[in-house]
Amino acid sequence: MGGYKEYKIGVIMFLAVFGMAVFMTIGIGGVYLGSVPATQLALEKQVHYGSSAWSIRDPLMKGWNQPKIQKADGTMVSDPVGVGKKIFIREGCWHCHTLLPEQTSDWEYFGAPPLAGDFVGESPTVIGSDRKAPDLMHVGSRMPSMAWHLQHHKDPRSVQAKSIMQSFDFLETSELKALATYMVSLK
Amino acid sequence: MSTATAAYDGIRPGTAAKHAFFSAVVWLCIGASFGFFTSLRIAWPDLLNGKEVMGPLASAFAFGRVRPMHITLVIFGWISMAFVAAMYYMTPALCNCRLWSEKLGLWNIWLWNVGLVVAAISLLVGANSGREYQELIWPVDIYVLVFILGFAAVNTFNTVLQRRTQGMYITIWFFLGALVMIWMTYFIGAIPDLFPVTGLNEAYMVWWHAHNVLGLWITPVSAAIAYYVIPKVTGNVLYSHKVGHLHFWTIVAFYSTPGAHHLMGAPLPEWMKSFASVSGVMILIPALAFITNMVLTVQGKWQMFSDNVSIQFALTGTLMAVPLNFQGAFQQTRAINWYIHGTHWIVAHAHFALLGFSTFIEIGATYYAIAKLFQRKIYSQSLATTHYWLTTVGFIGFWTTLTLAGLIQASGKVYNTTFIDVVYATHPYMVGRSLFGLTIVLGQWIFLYNLYKTATAGEPVTEKNPPATVYYT
C-alpha cells in the first residue's frame, strides 16, 4: 500500500480538468485581454503614473520612483499625479472609492464607464469592488477645485457634514497636494 | 502511546496539529477584533481617528490600512491555518500512519506565524500591492508560496504517500486537490506582483485569484473537514462516497472558472462574463451534493445537534451552505449582479461564506481535535454553548443589517439618489453591524479561553472516564 500508483487515472484527470480550467480562463482570457490596443487616455496615464506598484526602490510607497517632470525653474521633481496615485494605493482609498463606473445606470450618475483599452499599461488598476463612497473615475470633472480636495482630505466633515470618510490630517503637506493633484487629474 | 512516539523525530505525534490549532484560534481572535475596529470607523468616522487622538499611530490605524489586515489575518491566519491544522490532524488519522514530519510541521506553523506578523506590519506601514485580496507585497508572496503553502503541501502529500490504508477517503482527495489548487491560485494572483502584467489583464488575474481562494481552497477544504467531523463524531458511516466524489470533481471542473463574475461591470469581453456566470451557477451541483450527503449522514443522530458542540458548529456551517450557495449562484448572474454589485450586500455575502459556512465548520473541528489531541474533555460546555450562540446570533444579525444596508445602497444607485443621502441612510445599519460584530468577537475570545483551559485544566480522559463521554454532558 501507499504510493499514488492506484490513482494514476485520478491524478491525470485532476491535472487535466484543473489545467483546462486555467487554460480557458487565464490562458485564452489573458491573450484576449493582453491584445487590447491602448487608448489615448491609457497612454497619458502611462506617462504620469509610471509603475504605481510596490517596489523595492520605494518600500514605504512615498513615490520615490515615480516619473520625473521639469518644473518652471528647471528642477526635476516627481510627477505629483503619479505620487498621488501611489498614495491613493498606500492609504487604501480604493477600499471604499471605486474607479469604475459600471456598465449600468452608473452612466447617469458617475459618468461613462471606461473602455477596455483605457487600462493598458496601468498596474495596479485599483478599480475596487466595494463602493462605500462615490466613484472617482471622473471626479476631476465633477470637482475640479484643488482647494476643495485639500480641505476634504484634511477634514472631510468640514465640507460634507454627513461624510463618513476618515480624516487624512496625518499626511504630509506635499502628500496632500499630490493626492489632490491626482484627484483633479481624473477627468 | 508514549513509548511508540518517543523514537519518532523526538516529537510527539500531534504536536504540529496542536500548535496549528492554537495559533489559528489566536489569529481568529486578533483578525476578528480588527474587523470590529474597522467597522467602528464606518459607523463613527471620528472615533480613534486623526492626528490629535492617535498621534504617530494615526497612519497605521487608518481604515484603508487596517481593512486589508483584517482580511489577511482571517483568511491566511485563521481559516487557512485551521485548514492546515486539520490536515495535520486528520491526514494521519485517515491514513493510519504518523504525520510525515512533525518537525517540518512545527517549522511550517511557526514560520507561518512569523510571516503573518511581517505581513501585518507591512500592511500597517502602507506597503500594499494595491490588489484586492492579494494586498501583500511580492517578497511576502514568495514567502507564503514557499514556507506556508509549500511546506504544508510537502508534509501532507508525503503523509498520504506512506499511508497504511487501502483507498483514500474523500477528505484526503479534497486536501490534496486543494493544496495543489491553492498553490497555483496564489501563484497566479502573485503574477502581477512578480511580472509586468498590466491593465485589465492584471485586474482579471487579481479577481481570478480572489475568487479561487474561496472557490478552490476555502469552499472545498471546509467541506472536507465536515466530511471528517460529522461521520466521525456521530458514529455514522458517510451516506455516499460516490456523491462525495461528484462533489469533488464538479467543484474542480465548475468552480475554477467563474473568476470574471467579480468584474461584471468592467469592460471585459462578453464571452468571459457569460462563461463565468454560467459556470458560477453550477456551484449548486457540488454544494447540493455536499449538503445532501452530510444531512443524510446525520440520520438518526439529530439529537447531537443540540448536545454536542462539534456537531452543533459543523452542522450549522453545513446548513448555512444552503442559503449561501443559492445566494452566491444567483447574485453573480447579470440579472441580479447589476443591482447589488459594490454594495454592503456583497460584504454580507462574503461573511456568509467565510464566517457562517467555513468558520463554523472549522470551529466544530477545532473543538473535536483539541479534545482528542490533549485527551481531555472540553473545559466548559456552557462556555462552548455561549460561544455558539454569540457567534450564531452575532452572525445572523451582522448578515441581516449589512444585507438591508446593501439593498438601500442598491436602490439609491438605481434611482440616482444623491450619494451622501444613501451614506446617511445606511448609518443605523452600520451601527447595528458594529454591535453584532462585537458579539461575534466576544464569542471568539471565549472560544480561545475555553480551549486554553481545556489544554491546561480539562478533565483528563482515562479508562474510567472514557472518551465516549467526551462529547456528551
Side-chain angles (χ1 to χ4, degrees):
Chain A
M1 276 173 278
Y4 293 107
K5 278 193 188 127
E6 58 197 286
Y7 292 109
K8 207 171 162 187
I9 296 171
V11 171
I12 293 170
M13 280 293 289
F14 171 77
L15 294 175
V17 172
F18 182 58
M20 188 59 115
V22 174
F23 173 72
M24 283 193 297
T25 51
I26 293 291
I28 303 180
V31 170
Y32 194 101
L33 293 173
S35 58
V36 176
T39 59
Q40 185 63 32
L41 177 63
L43 297 174
E44 281 169 22
K45 286 203 279 189
Q46 286 178 22
V47 170
H48 288 296
Y49 298 168
S51 168
S52 331
W54 183 88
S55 157
I56 208 118
R57 286 174 292 153
D58 184 16
L60 293 173
M61 314 242 341
K62 296 272 189 192
W64 295 335
N65 63 338
Q66 292 314 112
K68 300 279 183 280
I69 52 166
Q70 196 168 21
K71 273 177 42 172
D73 59 2
T75 51
M76 300 295 280
V77 291
S78 295
D79 190 330
V81 177
V83 177
K85 178 166 180 192
K86 206 147 195 181
I87 293 165
F88 187 83
I89 294 166
R90 183 185 80 199
E91 297 305 331
C93 308
W94 47 283
H95 286 301
C96 298
H97 293 281
T98 52
L99 278 176
L100 182 76
E102 289 165 32
Q103 297 180 325
T104 56
S105 59
D106 267 5
W107 299 65
E108 296 156 27
Y109 199 87
F110 289 120
L115 303 169
D118 287 350
F119 296 108
V120 176
E122 189 179 357
S123 180
T125 46
V126 280
I127 53 181
S129 68
D130 186 3
R131 192 188 282 166
K132 291 187 278 290
D135 190 274
L136 296 180
M137 176 143 263
H138 303 295
V139 68
S141 303
R142 281 203 305 275
M143 199 58 84
S145 156
M146 275 283 285
W148 187 89
H149 286 289
L150 283 170
Q151 182 62 27
H152 183 226
H153 295 149
K154 249 186 278 181
D155 185 4
R157 274 157 294 286
S158 68
V159 292
Q160 174 49 269
K162 292 172 185 169
S163 168
I164 57 166
M165 188 165 99
Q166 69 148 78
S167 99
F168 290 89
D169 57 358
F170 55 82
L171 293 181
E172 294 159 23
T173 315
S174 63
E175 291 181 326
L176 281 168
K177 268 190 194 153
L179 191 58
T181 315
Y182 172 58
M183 289 293 105
V184 172
S185 80
L186 295 168
K187 291 293 180 189
Chain B
M1 188 175 151
S2 53
T3 46
T5 60
Y8 199 77
D9 71 12
I11 307 168
R12 277 177 78 100
T15 310
K18 284 179 194 173
H19 284 241
F21 273 116
F22 267 99
S23 305
V25 177
V26 169
W27 289 116
L28 167 68
C29 293
I30 299 172
S33 302
F34 275 112
F36 171 64
F37 180 76
T38 57
S39 83
L40 288 177
R41 274 294 161 69
I42 304 176
W44 295 287
D46 282 324
L47 194 73
L48 297 175
N49 178 29
K51 207 164 56 180
E52 279 172 34
V53 188
M54 297 296 278
L57 291 176
S59 58
F61 289 94
F63 178 87
R65 295 191 186 182
V66 181
R67 184 208 189 256
M69 195 176 74
H70 161 62
I71 287 165
T72 303
L73 292 188
V74 293
I75 293 183
F76 290 105
W78 156 241
I79 293 179
S80 298
M81 201 187 274
F83 283 175
V84 171
M87 287 173 189
Y88 285 173
Y89 173 75
M90 291 169 188
T91 314
L94 287 167
C95 292
N96 193 20
C97 62
R98 293 194 185 98
L99 187 66
W100 183 63
S101 169
E102 290 289 338
K103 200 180 263 176
L104 181 66
L106 284 173
W107 273 103
N108 182 207
I109 297 308
W110 284 100
L111 285 174
W112 196 329
N113 287 333
V114 169
L116 284 167
V117 172
V118 171
I121 291 172
S122 71
L123 290 171
L124 289 185
V125 299
N128 186 320
S129 79
R131 302 183 172 101
E132 205 161 0
Y133 299 103
Q134 171 64 16
E135 282 97 349
L136 303 178
I137 53 177
W138 63 260
V140 184
D141 282 341
I142 293 171
Y143 186 95
V144 170
L145 284 170
V146 176
F147 298 116
I148 296 181
L149 300 175
F151 276 19
V154 167
N155 217 349
T156 310
F157 268 86
N158 280 313
T159 305
V160 179
L161 203 60
Q162 56 171 27
R163 72 188 182 281
R164 294 190 294 165
T165 52
Q166 212 159 20
M168 294 197 301
Y169 184 62
I170 188 69
T171 298
I172 301 291
W173 276 89
F174 273 109
F175 282 173
L176 299 186
L179 280 167
V180 173
M181 294 191 289
I182 186 61
W183 202 94
M184 276 303 292
T185 300
Y186 199 92
F187 176 71
I188 289 172
I191 284 178
D193 284 350
L194 299 166
F195 305 100
V197 176
T198 67
L200 269 188
N201 222 342
E202 178 251 34
Y204 176 61
M205 269 188 193
V206 169
W207 279 105
W208 192 92
H209 161 272
H211 174 84
N212 286 337
V213 165
L214 287 151
L216 300 179
W217 175 241
I218 295 178
T219 312
V221 182
S222 304
I225 292 171
Y227 275 122
Y228 181 87
V229 172
I230 291 177
K232 186 82 184 169
V233 180
T234 57
N236 286 354
V237 176
L238 179 67
Y239 175 72
S240 166
H241 203 252
K242 275 210 178 85
V243 173
H245 273 278
L246 175 74
H247 175 197
F248 176 80
W249 289 103
T250 47
I251 215 161
V252 175
F254 301 149
Y255 221 44
S256 45
T257 53
H261 72 205
H262 295 262
L263 291 166
M264 284 303 210
L268 246 53
E270 284 305 305
W271 70 265
M272 286 178 84
K273 291 185 193 173
S274 302
F275 181 48
S277 188
V278 171
S279 53
V281 175
M282 307 252 259
I283 184 64
L284 287 172
I285 299 170
L288 291 176
F290 162 64
I291 297 153
T292 323
N293 214 351
M294 285 297 100
V295 169
L296 289 171
T297 301
V298 191
Q299 276 182 106
K301 295 285 176 66
W302 278 94
Q303 87 283 355
M304 292 181 90
F305 195 27
S306 62
D307 60 20
N308 179 301
V309 68
S310 291
I311 287 294
Q312 206 170 22
F313 270 105
L315 262 183
T316 308
T318 305
L319 293 174
M320 292 264 199
V322 181
L324 165 70
N325 284 287
F326 274 96
Q327 188 190 29
F330 290 113
Q331 76 179 24
Q332 53 92 45
T333 63
R334 254 174 284 198
I336 300 174
N337 190 267
W338 71 278
Y339 192 65
I340 45 91
H341 184 74
T343 68
H344 287 300
W345 170 292
I346 304 293
V347 184
H349 177 75
H351 284 82
F352 209 155
L354 298 184
L355 174 59
F357 164 64
S358 182
T359 294
F360 268 75
I361 292 176
E362 284 125 56
I363 289 174
T366 307
Y367 274 122
Y368 172 76
I370 289 292
K372 273 280 192 192
L373 285 165
F374 286 91
Q375 287 291 300
R376 289 172 188 272
K377 296 185 182 190
I378 292 298
Y379 172 71
S380 164
Q381 285 292 327
S382 54
L383 281 183
T385 309
T386 312
H387 172 211
Y388 175 80
W389 285 109
L390 284 176
T391 315
T392 307
V393 171
F395 165 69
I396 291 172
F398 185 101
W399 183 85
T400 310
T401 46
L402 274 185
T403 301
L404 292 174
L407 290 172
I408 293 172
Q409 286 178 305
S411 57
K413 180 166 82 171
V414 172
Y415 294 113
N416 284 337
T417 313
T418 312
F419 198 91
I420 193 66
D421 290 343
V422 179
V423 172
Y424 191 60
T426 53
H427 173 72
Y429 299 89
M430 296 300 105
V431 174
R433 187 263 294 267
S434 280
L435 294 177
F436 286 116
L438 180 63
T439 316
I440 297 166
V441 171
L442 278 178
Q444 309 323 309
W445 285 100
I446 291 174
F447 178 38
L448 179 62
Y449 173 76
N450 201 5
L451 289 187
Y452 172 73
K453 294 298 276 187
T454 301
T456 53
E459 204 182 319
V461 172
T462 57
E463 271 178 35
K464 283 180 185 170
N465 189 8
T469 60
V470 165
Y471 306 104
Y472 297 89
T473 45

